[in-house]
């Protein structure tokens, strides 16, 4: 098979792609009934974004799904969007845009290969097993050619896997290294087993925080699958709106997304809700992968000490241990997660920049940034809550 035999097509809606064909590329492990490694690249999740109006006209995320065919068979797909801003990406390039536009260039629109509003690591070049080399090369070439032929400033693959990042760097894409805080399950039997791996002072602090959080005068419950009901989304929508208004000005997801999620995504989600005096007052939404629990959204209508830590971080650890998951990804940013057992972990992205001079400047910047990120990870890990032997083993 030669790369030139692959046909690249761009489609504006997932309705044009059979769900089974997409998922054969995105999550082949799920076709046999297993949970998907990455719930965010499944046809059902991306369709929920599209069908709810969370992406599309007026959002700045215009779908242009990239597909690769060989002899009529779909061998690769990529969730790609034309972006008119840099919101909802979590790999920040606002300074790049400002610099390019001050120099007289036009940064937007650009192409983004990503899961909208979702800072979670996963494959971005989704290739059917057996076609890895051909499909990956075709998708990268297709995205770059599309940007070049339309005189777009750049292509960005964000929160890709390290394997994709290294392969992209080898063929000339610009490599960016950032970091998040992830919790790793070292085979703990329960939460007390995790606490036993911490230094005495950090262990005591977490116990105090959990006790204080649970003293808010109500109860905390976790709902998943058929236990999730429409009333839970009515409550969570209020929490999400409050957080979205404070963080982004306007929530990224529409109300319709959660209605669709109830129908098509409830097995992929674990919703932690706090109830007090007969009312839901706070909640944290997680997505469930085959190996990872992904903490995504939090909100509340009442503020209680440490309740945020309990619902978002400690309950996530409880769920991961109970389900035998290897890690918890708790979303973007947040050095406060370090004291709660979440260690700094590299995240990766790839970039193609059309203007050669601007590309050189960004390349120089990214080299310095990677060095700074490496140093930051080393320093933060030193301040982690684990006993010294535990940290050395995890490293």
């Amino acid at each position: 098979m030669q790369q030139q035999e692959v046909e690249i097509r761009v489609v504006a809606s997932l309705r044009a792609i059979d769900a089974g064909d997409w998922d054969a590329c995105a999550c082949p492990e799920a076709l046999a009934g297993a949970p998907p490694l990455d719930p965010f690249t499944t046809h059902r999740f991306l369709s929920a974004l599209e069908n709810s109006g969370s992406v599309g006209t007026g959002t700045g995320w215009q779908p242009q799904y990239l597909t690769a065919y060989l002899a009529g068979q779909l061998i690769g797909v990529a969730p790609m969007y034309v972006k008119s801003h840099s919101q909802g990406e979590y790999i920040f390039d606002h300074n790049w845009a400002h610099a390019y536009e001050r120099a007289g260039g036009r940064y937007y629109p650009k192409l983004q290969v990503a899961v909208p509003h979702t800072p979670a690591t996963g494959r971005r070049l989704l290739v059917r097993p057996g076609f890895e080399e051909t499909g990956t090369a075709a998708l990268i070439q297709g995205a770059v050619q599309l940007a070049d032929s339309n005189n777009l400033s750049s292509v960005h693959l964000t929160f890709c896997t390290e394997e994709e990042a290294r392969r992209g760097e080898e063929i000339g894409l610009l490599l960016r290294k950032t970091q998040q805080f992830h919790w790793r399950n070292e085979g703990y039997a329960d939460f007390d087993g995790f606490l036993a791996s911490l230094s005495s002072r950090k262990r005591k602090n977490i116990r105090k925080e959990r006790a204080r959080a649970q003293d808010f005068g109500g109860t905390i419950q976790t709902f998943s699958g058929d236990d999730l009901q429409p009333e839970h989304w009515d409550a969570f929508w209020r929490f999400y709106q409050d957080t979205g208004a404070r963080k982004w000005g306007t929530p990224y997801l529409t109300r319709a997304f959660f209605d669709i999620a109830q129908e098509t995504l409830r097995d992929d989600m674990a919703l932690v809700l706090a109830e007090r005096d007969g009312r839901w007052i706070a909640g944290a939404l997680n997505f469930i992968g085959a190996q990872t629990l992904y903490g995504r959204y939090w909100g509340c209508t009442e503020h209680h000490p440490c309740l945020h830590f309990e619902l978002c971080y400690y309950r996530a650890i409880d769920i991961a241990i109970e389900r035998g998951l290897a890690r918890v990804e708790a979303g973007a940013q947040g050095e406060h997660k370090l004291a709660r057992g979440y260690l700094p972990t590299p995240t990766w992205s790839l970039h193609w920049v059309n203007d050669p001079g601007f590309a050189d400047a960004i390349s120089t910047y990214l080299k310095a940034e990677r060095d700074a990120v490496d140093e930051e990870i080393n320093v933060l890990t030193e301040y982690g809550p684990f006993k010294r032997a535990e940290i050395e083993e995890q490293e």
Side-chain angles (χ1 to χ4, degrees):
M1 291 182 295
Q2 299 297 318
Q3 184 177 324
Q4 59 265 29
E5 297 173 357
V6 177
E7 179 186 1
I8 295 295
R9 306 175 193 170
V10 176
V11 297
S13 173
L14 278 179
R15 299 182 188 94
I17 305 175
D18 177 77
D21 286 342
W22 178 282
D23 287 345
C25 300
C27 53
E29 68 281 353
L31 296 182
L37 287 171
D38 181 356
F40 303 115
T41 54
T42 61
H43 192 279
R44 58 182 177 271
F45 181 85
L46 295 171
S47 292
L49 291 177
E50 182 184 323
N51 294 336
S52 68
S54 300
V55 301
T57 303
T59 68
W61 289 85
Q62 195 61 41
Q64 293 286 277
Y65 305 106
L66 198 62
T67 65
Y69 288 84
L70 183 65
Q73 181 184 27
L74 184 66
I75 65 164
V77 296
M80 188 171 72
Y81 302 82
V82 177
K83 290 296 305 296
S84 59
H85 55 62
S86 291
Q87 306 302 319
E89 297 170 8
Y90 304 94
I91 298 293
F92 303 111
D93 64 347
H94 300 84
N95 289 339
W96 300 3
H98 295 158
Y100 194 54
E101 290 172 357
R102 283 196 302 268
R106 183 186 180 200
Y107 194 73
Y108 304 108
K110 61 178 183 175
L111 289 182
Q112 195 83 19
V113 180
V115 178
H117 323 309
T118 307
T121 293
R123 288 191 305 135
R124 295 294 171 257
L125 306 170
L126 310 171
V127 178
R128 188 185 292 264
F131 299 91
E132 288 82 1
E133 184 173 348
T134 302
T136 299
L139 290 170
I140 292 175
Q141 183 177 350
V144 169
Q145 286 184 347
L146 185 65
D148 190 35
S149 62
N150 287 277
N151 200 29
L152 302 184
S153 69
S154 49
V155 180
H156 309 266
L157 289 79
T158 45
F159 292 102
C160 62
T161 65
E162 183 176 1
E163 181 181 356
E164 288 176 323
R166 298 303 181 192
R167 180 177 177 82
E169 184 182 32
E170 288 173 359
I171 63 175
L173 299 183
L174 302 178
L175 174 67
R176 190 170 194 183
K177 185 177 187 179
T178 48
Q179 62 102 357
Q180 290 180 338
F181 293 88
H182 298 172
W183 179 85
R184 290 173 244 171
N185 187 353
E186 301 296 331
Y188 305 120
D190 51 29
F191 197 89
D192 283 339
F194 157 62
L195 288 180
S197 68
L198 306 182
S199 66
S200 175
R201 182 170 62 88
K202 297 297 185 181
R203 184 164 59 244
K204 291 177 182 177
N205 286 344
I206 289 177
R207 283 179 173 150
K208 287 179 181 179
E209 282 189 346
R210 295 206 78 177
R212 194 177 186 194
Q214 294 172 35
D215 195 31
F216 74 103
T219 59
I220 301 172
Q221 301 178 62
T222 299
F223 301 94
S224 186
D226 290 341
D227 291 335
L228 281 165
Q229 298 298 320
E231 68 176 86
H232 301 139
W233 298 117
D234 291 337
F236 189 74
W237 173 245
R238 294 194 297 273
F239 310 148
Y240 176 70
Q241 278 187 301
D242 176 71
T243 300
R246 286 186 288 105
K247 282 191 172 184
W248 316 303
T250 302
Y252 291 142
L253 302 177
T254 65
R255 179 64 181 85
F257 174 85
F258 297 100
D259 292 334
I260 295 172
Q262 170 66 20
E263 296 301 317
T264 65
L265 297 171
R266 62 181 181 268
D267 289 337
D268 299 326
M269 298 184 295
L271 179 62
V272 184
L273 291 174
E275 176 270 334
R276 182 173 179 268
D277 296 332
R279 295 181 298 108
W280 302 114
I281 58 110
L285 177 60
N286 305 275
F287 279 79
I288 307 165
Q291 299 175 354
T292 306
L293 187 76
Y294 302 90
R296 287 304 302 114
Y297 301 107
W298 144 267
C300 64
T301 54
E302 293 183 11
H303 295 276
H304 296 275
C306 301
L307 192 60
H308 171 252
F309 300 147
E310 175 66 20
L311 267 61
C312 291
Y313 308 134
Y314 301 141
R315 292 291 167 134
I317 291 174
D318 283 335
I319 294 169
I321 292 174
E322 178 183 348
R323 289 177 173 265
L325 302 177
R327 66 189 67 86
V328 177
E329 292 192 18
Q333 305 171 305
E335 291 185 4
H336 60 278
K337 299 168 187 172
L338 184 66
R340 278 108 205 153
Y342 291 72
L343 290 178
T345 304
T347 50
W348 308 92
S349 60
L350 290 167
H351 309 269
W352 175 85
V353 177
N354 206 340
D355 184 288
F358 191 45
D360 287 343
I362 290 178
S363 178
T364 300
Y365 167 80
L366 291 179
K367 171 62 170 65
E369 185 185 48
R370 289 194 298 272
D371 292 342
V373 168
D374 285 337
E375 182 177 358
E376 182 179 25
I377 288 175
N378 289 335
V379 170
L380 289 173
T381 301
E382 286 291 320
Y383 283 95
F386 292 91
K387 298 173 184 176
R388 295 308 315 159
E390 182 78 9
I391 289 179
E392 291 170 3
E393 182 176 329
Q394 291 198 25
E395 288 176 340

